[in-house]
Amino acid sequence: MPELPEVQTIVDDLNRQVRGRRIVGIALDWPKMIQYPAINKRQFAVLTCGRKILRVERRGKYIKFYLSGNILMIIHPKMTGRFLLENGEKPETNYRHSHLKFYLDNSKILAFSDVRKLGKVWIGKIAEVENLANFKNLGPEPLNKSLNLSKFIKLIQFKKRKIKQLLMDQTVIAGIGNIYSDEALWLSKIYPLTLSQDLTKIQLKTLLRAIKSVLKKSLKLRGSSMRDYRDIVGNQGNYYEQRLVYHREGEPCLRCGTKIRRIKIGGRSAHYCPQCQYH
DNA sequence: AATTGTACCTGTCAGC
DNA sequence: TGCTGACAGGTACAAT
């Protein structure tokens, strides 16, 4: 489901709604979602219950919950994971797939719902969890001001990979997925199969600007809801209706009217305009 | 070093 | 009305 704008929207809402709350109980009916360490449901309950949610942060597409007692819990929603804050009075949620629930001290329930059960949880001492390879090896944040053109060029230029795949590689740059890589490449008029080393400096400058601008625009619109994404009160994001090229196969290009094409790159669909994004 | 296929999961939709 | 296959905001891992 979520890429950077969706995850950031969730994190901002969580900070407003659950920051400072104490976890008083949990329910877990899919223990396989606990990726690290190898613990059972009861041990997970011991680790979380009684702790305060001090703050929530985003890194790439990961959601980091800093809990009291120097505990860090990280959740990755993968394709269909979502959070819902529900009232204790009506525990029956319309989210049929809430496999993990946190009962809070204000009698609300923070539920993690995940239809496809691909979402994962990591928990432990802060330093211990932050040292796990998936987090340690993340690339820079695209919206961070320190990611300027010269750094971007260093990340991209000496690799020999298809630019679409590089943009989605979380160890190169963190937070971009299938929607926003398509959008940024359309904005920059770059063909998605172009090898990274063949891009000119001008193209890379345009691409970096496109990445930042499309992510900021989607953030303002609270993300994209193609199907599953919802914010923590169940509302959809508004970027999807305004998308430029993603999932518009056969429709006219918004710039030149040529029919948008879809191809497969590394098992994922890529959408582009064969006229504007020439190679 | 980069690519390809497979695995993890469930739900939806088009086509037969 | 079934059935089947493709596809869906993601990532890890093994094989080539």
Side-chain angles (χ1 to χ4, degrees), chain A residues 179-236:
Chain A
I179 293 182
Y180 302 107
S181 55
D182 272 5
E183 299 287 272
L185 289 169
W186 183 89
L187 275 170
S188 332
K189 301 187 182 176
I190 295 170
Y191 179 58
L193 290 175
T194 311
L195 293 183
S196 42
Q197 62 177 14
D198 294 338
L199 290 166
T200 66
K201 194 178 171 190
I202 301 288
Q203 284 181 306
L204 289 172
K205 186 179 179 185
T206 311
L207 179 56
L208 179 60
R209 268 223 292 259
I211 288 168
K212 288 179 187 267
S213 87
V214 76
L215 292 176
K216 279 185 201 160
K217 181 178 180 188
S218 180
L219 199 44
K220 264 187 202 153
L221 294 169
R222 298 180 62 77
S224 302
S225 294
M226 184 175 91
R227 48 197 301 155
D228 295 295
Y229 172 72
R230 297 293 184 276
D231 68 17
I232 68 169
V233 296
N235 292 322
Q236 303 198 6

Side-chain angles (χ1 to χ4, degrees), chain A residues 5-238:
Chain A
E6 295 77 34
V7 178
Q8 187 67 54
T9 301
I10 292 170
V11 164
D12 290 345
D13 286 354
L14 286 174
N15 272 311
R16 277 190 284 267
Q17 306 270 352
V18 306
R19 183 183 196 147
R21 299 264 62 97
R22 194 179 295 279
I23 298 167
V24 297
I26 66 130
L28 171 63
D29 71 5
W30 184 253
K32 278 174 80 173
M33 79 165 72
I34 312 294
Q35 181 83 354
Y36 177 92
I39 51 173
N40 61 28
K41 175 184 157 182
R42 206 193 63 80
Q43 293 167 308
F44 180 75
V46 169
L47 261 178
T48 48
C49 293
R51 297 190 192 277
K52 258 190 183 174
I53 300 171
L54 301 180
R55 67 182 187 283
V56 188
E57 291 181 6
R58 179 191 62 75
R59 177 75 172 101
K61 302 171 190 171
Y62 295 91
I63 301 171
K64 306 169 81 176
F65 294 83
Y66 286 90
L67 307 180
S68 54
N70 292 313
I71 294 292
L72 173 59
M73 175 176 70
I74 303 187
I75 299 188
H76 194 307
K78 294 286 180 81
M79 297 287 257
T80 55
R82 47 164 99 156
F83 282 90
L84 174 68
L85 191 63
E86 45 180 292
N87 287 317
E89 306 112 47
K90 43 169 194 167
E92 294 311 315
T93 168
N94 53 356
Y95 283 36
R96 292 149 52 209
H97 306 279
S98 295
H99 303 300
L100 175 59
K101 292 182 179 185
F102 299 98
Y103 298 89
L104 305 178
D105 60 357
N106 60 353
S107 71
K108 288 193 175 181
I109 302 170
L110 179 64
F112 177 64
S113 165
D114 187 6
V115 173
R116 288 177 66 181
K117 297 177 176 165
L118 298 174
K120 292 283 182 266
V121 181
W122 297 258
I123 189 166
K125 293 279 179 197
I126 294 174
E128 174 191 347
V129 173
E130 280 179 342
N131 264 322
L132 296 172
N134 351 10
F135 315 114
K136 221 172 51 179
N137 298 336
L138 283 175
E141 286 291 327
L143 290 183
N144 197 319
K145 285 204 176 80
S146 68
L147 181 63
N148 53 29
L149 182 58
S150 66
K151 281 194 184 154
F152 188 61
I153 289 174
K154 278 180 195 143
L155 287 173
I156 302 260
Q157 209 170 43
F158 301 109
K159 306 234 166 75
K160 191 181 172 179
R161 293 176 61 191
K162 293 159 187 142
I163 185 60
K164 161 87 171 166
Q165 285 183 302
L166 254 200
L167 292 182
M168 292 200 292
D169 184 335
Q170 303 302 298
T171 67
V172 173
I173 185 167
I176 301 171
N178 213 20
I179 293 182
Y180 302 107
S181 55
D182 272 5
E183 299 287 272
L185 289 169
W186 183 89
L187 275 170
S188 332
K189 301 187 182 176
I190 295 170
Y191 179 58
L193 290 175
T194 311
L195 293 183
S196 42
Q197 62 177 14
D198 294 338
L199 290 166
T200 66
K201 194 178 171 190
I202 301 288
Q203 284 181 306
L204 289 172
K205 186 179 179 185
T206 311
L207 179 56
L208 179 60
R209 268 223 292 259
I211 288 168
K212 288 179 187 267
S213 87
V214 76
L215 292 176
K216 279 185 201 160
K217 181 178 180 188
S218 180
L219 199 44
K220 264 187 202 153
L221 294 169
R222 298 180 62 77
S224 302
S225 294
M226 184 175 91
R227 48 197 301 155
D228 295 295
Y229 172 72
R230 297 293 184 276
D231 68 17
I232 68 169
V233 296
N235 292 322
Q236 303 198 6
N238 301 305

